[in-house]
Amino acid sequence: MSAQFPVARPRRLRRTPALRRMVAETRLSPADLVLPMFVKEGIAEPQPVSSMPGVFQHTRDSLRKAAQEAAEAGVGGIILFGVPAVKDGVGSAADDPDGIVQLALRDLNADLGDSTVIMTDLCLDEYTDHGHCGVLTGSGEDGEIDNDATLERYASIAVAQAEAGSAVVGPSGMMDGQVAAIRAALDGAGHPDVAIMGYSVKYASAYYGPFREAAECAPQFGDRSTHQQDPANADESLREVLLDLDEGADMVMVKPAGAYLDIVRRVRDAVQVPVAAYQVSGEYAMIEAAAEKGWIDRERTIMESLLSIRRAGADIALTYWATEVARRLS
Ligand code: PBG
């Protein structure tokens, strides 16, 4: 039997900062952090996102500057979201070689080399006029997402992004078979080295609210609950992860992070690939808003939220605070 009080005194190891640091079980480091960034076509100045204080829709130039700062702070990677000037039913701008993300990818590859990993979100919702993550059958409010037709679009977007220099594509649309379709397209187009980070576990979450302002992608009718997961379910997440790995995903993601740390842990325990978790816009907005009111200590809450994500088992955290936190860590 292990010793009891007064012999056992766990507080001994908490007495000084040096002791606490030495025995810390989990550490955060800049390389674990990935910064999501928005780049918008056709704007002259960066536009603040009102529901995400400190986050901007970037111009190509301001993106370069902010990405450079992130790389200098040592962040592990950045992931790009594009906001095109023109949207249509099939999201044509998404795989246009001169679409905004492709242009930004070329800029960033020229600037950053391999000082940080340049990744791309791969979805259609920012590019479609109806705001859905796929192409629709039927029209207007009767439209439904056509899973298999959407895969062809994703395959083409993957190739466009790879050609422009994305090192890792992150399909976030939750279409069945998306990883397989993208892997086949990348390999077929001569990009076997471009990796896939599956947004394998993506819940139909209210925490994405502020993102829809940032990416201008709120669905014009209906919602995403026919493709994103029900927050009530957990086993289903493992099924999604295993399917994505079978289809060739190199890494898997759980999203959102904070309200789904149980899922992060279960996925971590089930797989042998890197696990990412996305601290989404609503998680960011809640902490910023409470801090603005003086109700919580902003820096401490940010660090605690990220440490929790790592402690739950995520290797990589996507967070809008990546640059700030990376600077604080180094
Ligand atoms: C879809 C996508 C979304 C987010 C990332 N990719 C929104 C959605 O599914 O509605 C949300 C990210 C965030 O809230 O920070 N392309």
Side-chain angles (χ1 to χ4, degrees):
M1 238 198 26
S2 62
Q4 297 293 312
F5 179 80
V7 174
R9 290 181 182 269
R11 286 182 57 197
R12 283 185 197 116
L13 297 183
R14 300 179 195 140
R15 286 178 55 236
T16 67
L19 260 172
R20 292 195 295 271
R21 190 175 62 232
M22 189 183 77
V23 302
E25 296 175 36
T26 310
R27 291 175 213 278
L28 270 177
S29 71
D32 312 325
L33 306 175
V34 170
L35 176 66
M37 305 185 86
F38 304 99
V39 57
K40 183 169 174 173
E41 188 176 19
I43 52 171
E45 295 295 325
Q47 319 262 310
V49 177
S50 64
S51 52
M52 300 176 73
V55 174
F56 293 85
Q57 292 180 324
H58 284 291
T59 66
R60 274 174 72 182
D61 280 344
S62 71
L63 182 85
R64 295 175 89 139
K65 188 161 172 283
Q68 187 83 51
E69 288 167 4
E72 276 161 17
V75 304
I78 60 176
I79 183 163
L80 290 180
F81 293 87
V83 186
V86 180
K87 306 188 185 214
D88 61 23
V90 296
S92 306
D95 51 338
D96 180 341
D98 295 319
I100 185 65
V101 161
Q102 281 68 254
L103 296 175
L105 280 167
R106 292 196 195 94
D107 292 341
L108 297 186
N109 272 287
D111 291 354
L112 304 177
D114 52 14
S115 60
T116 192
V117 181
I118 301 170
M119 321 177 28
T120 41
D121 181 82
L122 197 170
C123 198
L124 276 170
D125 57 333
E126 300 97 335
Y127 299 93
T128 52
D129 50 13
H130 44 72
H132 283 288
C133 300
V135 296
L136 305 182
T137 54
S139 60
E141 309 249 324
D142 296 326
E144 267 190 35
I145 297 181
D146 182 336
N147 189 94
D148 299 7
T150 299
L151 298 184
E152 292 172 30
R153 297 289 301 124
Y154 288 180
S156 170
I157 299 167
V159 172
Q161 292 180 347
E163 246 129 61
S166 181
V168 181
V169 298
S172 65
M174 289 299 278
M175 293 299 120
D176 294 332
Q178 63 186 12
V179 171
I182 289 167
R183 185 72 269 156
L186 289 171
D187 292 351
H191 298 289
D193 294 333
V194 171
I196 300 176
M197 176 176 69
Y199 282 59
S200 308
V201 177
K202 184 170 178 185
Y203 285 93
S205 173
Y207 287 94
Y208 307 147
F211 175 92
R212 295 187 182 159
E213 178 196 346
E216 300 177 16
C217 65
Q220 297 306 299
F221 60 89
D223 60 27
R224 307 214 204 285
S225 46
T226 66
H227 48 104
Q228 298 180 348
Q229 289 175 242
D230 184 342
N233 296 351
D235 292 343
E236 187 186 38
S237 293
L238 293 181
R239 174 164 161 76
E240 286 282 3
V241 162
L242 296 178
L243 282 168
D244 276 7
L245 291 177
D246 262 4
E247 291 179 27
D250 301 285
M251 307 184 241
V252 295
M253 191 206 292
V254 174
K255 177 180 176 191
Y260 297 88
L261 295 179
D262 57 324
I263 309 295
V264 172
R265 169 49 59 190
R266 286 185 61 177
V267 170
R268 170 69 291 156
D269 289 343
V271 303
Q272 294 83 36
V273 296
V275 175
Y278 196 145
Q279 182 178 55
V280 300
S281 57
E283 299 176 69
Y284 178 92
M286 288 193 305
I287 292 177
E288 289 288 351
E292 197 181 292
K293 284 190 172 283
W295 290 349
I296 52 171
D297 179 322
R298 180 177 176 281
E299 270 87 77
R300 287 187 56 204
T301 312
I302 292 170
M303 298 311 270
E304 187 175 334
S305 68
L306 288 166
L307 198 60
S308 302
I309 292 168
R310 293 273 293 128
R311 193 193 60 237
D315 304 291
I316 300 162
L318 285 79
T319 174
Y320 298 98
W321 289 301
T323 303
E324 173 185 331
V325 169
R327 283 186 183 138
R328 196 173 304 136
L329 291 170
S330 49

